[in-house]
């Protein structure tokens, strides 16, 4: 299928090239997302990508789809609005760990429990990248940054445990250095009928010199390779979410089927809101506010 310019509807690249630092993990995540769109045979006009503010948020400029570069921490309210206006769109939201687990963490918890059919990717580099290296909610205790010169005092947010305990129906962790695996987790998340959270761990070559490529390579393993692991078992998933150290699990932690928020709305059961008549007389309503 082509658009009016003769461009394939399956082309997700723009003519512009990303401006991230050479070696940045955002390249891997951005590639994995576009790969997932391609593998699923999605058409770009039927996709809406919403990003936050951050190095990761800048990714909005490099998708040849509908995009909304929103405010810091506000990806999920915008994605919710888009999904409720037209639930036939594939809606994917993404942003940094600061965006989603700091300023936006309230929105995250409520989006999870609503179970909107949105795929949410956290670009988890464990530092604030765009603002040049301050501590983030996933920075480990003791991590030295320009905002914490004597080391972080708090313990980090655990996005996997937070998601499971908030009622998430699809929870996974991927790694920017394993694009094939991350692509599968994202594609499965898009196919999942409900809120899918993918914590995409990534390197930040400029401001996180602790969690380097070799650091990750020495630790990560795939849950699929553990035959005893059952991603339908919530307690097992929560227990495994605590594993962090010499071994770090990636893959699907937890999945369950539950009606989505959109499924529960009779108003949009027949057709999306954008396809409905707006021929409503609001004169009386407006009169109440004069
Ligand atoms: C309301 C608001 N507060 C603060 C900022 C400044 N700010 C921009 S990006 C950012 C954090 C970036 O870190 P993260 O979300 O982890 O994304 P990354 O750049 O690492 O991808 C901050 C604090 C802002 N733009 N808006």
């Amino acid at each position: 299928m082509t658009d009016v310019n003769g461009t394939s509807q399956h082309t997700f690249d723009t003519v512009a090239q990303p401006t991230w630092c050479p070696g940045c993990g955002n390249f891997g995540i951005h590639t994995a997302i576009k790969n997932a769109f391609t593998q699923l045979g999605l058409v770009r006009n039927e996709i809406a990508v919403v990003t936050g503010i951050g190095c990761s948020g800048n990714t909005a400029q490099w998708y040849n789809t509908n995009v909304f570069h929103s405010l810091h921490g506000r990806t999920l309210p915008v994605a919710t609005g888009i999904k409720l206006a037209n639930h036939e769109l594939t809606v994917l939201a993404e942003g940094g760990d600061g965006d989603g687990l700091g300023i936006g963490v309230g929105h995250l918890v409520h989006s999870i429990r609503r179970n909107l059919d949105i795929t949410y990717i956290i670009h988890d580099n464990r530092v604030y990248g765009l603002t040049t290296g301050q501590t983030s909610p996933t920075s480990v205790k003791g991590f030295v940054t320009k905002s914490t010169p004597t080391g972080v005092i708090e313990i980090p947010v655990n996005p996997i445990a937070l998601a499971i305990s908030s009622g998430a129906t699809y929870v996974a962790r991927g790694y920017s250095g394993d694009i094939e695996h991350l692509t599968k987790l994202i594609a499965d998340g898009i196919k999942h009928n409900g809120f899918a959270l993918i914590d995409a761990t990534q390197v930040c070559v400029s401001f996180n010199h602790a969690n380097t490529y070799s650091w990750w390579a020495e630790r990560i393993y795939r849950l699929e390779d553990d035959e005893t692991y059952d991603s339908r078992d919530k307690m097992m998933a929560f227990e495994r979410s605590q594993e962090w150290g010499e071994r770090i699990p990636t893959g699907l932690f937890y999945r369950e089927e539950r009606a989505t928020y959109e499924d529960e709305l009779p108003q949009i059961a027949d057709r999306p809101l954008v396809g409905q008549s707006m021929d409503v007389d609001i004169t009386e309503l407006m009169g109440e506010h004069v």
Side-chain angles (χ1 to χ4, degrees), residues 26 53-57 72 95-100 103 123 125 127-131 136 202:
N26 284 322
I53 299 295
C55 295
S56 45
H72 193 42
D97 39 282
D99 199 283
I103 190 171
H123 292 237
N125 58 8
V127 72
Y128 283 3
L130 190 75
T131 46
S136 98
Q202 67 165 108

Side-chain angles (χ1 to χ4, degrees), residues 44-235:
R44 58 187 166 85
N45 288 351
E46 294 170 358
I47 301 169
V49 177
V50 183
T51 76
I53 299 295
C55 295
S56 45
N58 289 346
T59 195
Q61 303 163 57
W62 304 303
Y63 285 112
N64 194 5
T65 62
N66 299 301
V67 289
F68 195 119
H69 197 169
S70 73
L71 298 175
H72 193 42
R74 306 293 179 243
T75 53
L76 289 171
V78 173
T80 299
I82 293 171
K83 191 71 190 179
L84 291 180
N86 186 358
H87 61 274
E88 288 178 351
L89 288 173
T90 294
V91 179
L92 183 137
E94 55 181 314
D97 39 282
D99 199 283
L101 298 166
I103 190 171
V105 72
H107 297 304
L108 176 60
V109 170
H110 295 295
S111 301
I112 288 173
R113 73 187 182 89
R114 287 183 188 121
N115 198 34
L116 291 139
D117 185 16
I118 291 171
T119 307
Y120 181 51
I121 321 281
I122 301 177
H123 292 237
D124 194 353
N125 58 8
R126 310 170 78 75
V127 72
Y128 283 3
L130 190 75
T131 46
T132 70
Q134 296 80 16
T135 181
S136 98
T138 51
S139 301
V140 287
K141 188 170 167 59
F143 187 58
V144 174
T145 67
K146 58 179 65 164
S147 64
T148 52
T150 54
V152 174
I153 294 170
E154 307 98 312
I155 60 165
V157 172
N158 180 333
I160 303 292
L162 177 72
I164 295 168
S165 60
S166 300
T169 54
Y170 181 103
V171 185
R173 179 187 288 132
Y175 169 51
S176 65
D178 188 348
I179 295 175
E180 194 185 335
H181 189 227
L182 185 57
T183 298
K184 181 173 178 356
L185 295 172
I186 294 170
D188 287 350
I190 293 172
K191 279 192 285 182
H192 174 70
N193 190 33
F195 193 91
L197 180 141
I198 297 130
D199 181 34
T201 51
Q202 67 165 108
V203 292
C204 173
V205 291
S206 295
F207 301 110
N208 183 340
H209 301 296
N211 307 125
T212 60
Y213 281 103
S214 56
W215 188 93
W216 287 111
E218 282 163 18
R219 290 166 174 79
I220 55 172
Y221 73 94
R222 295 183 181 186
L223 286 168
E224 303 91 283
D225 294 337
D226 180 349
E227 286 172 10
T228 65
Y229 191 73
D230 182 357
S231 59
R232 294 165 303 181
D233 185 332
K234 194 177 236 183
M235 295 315 289

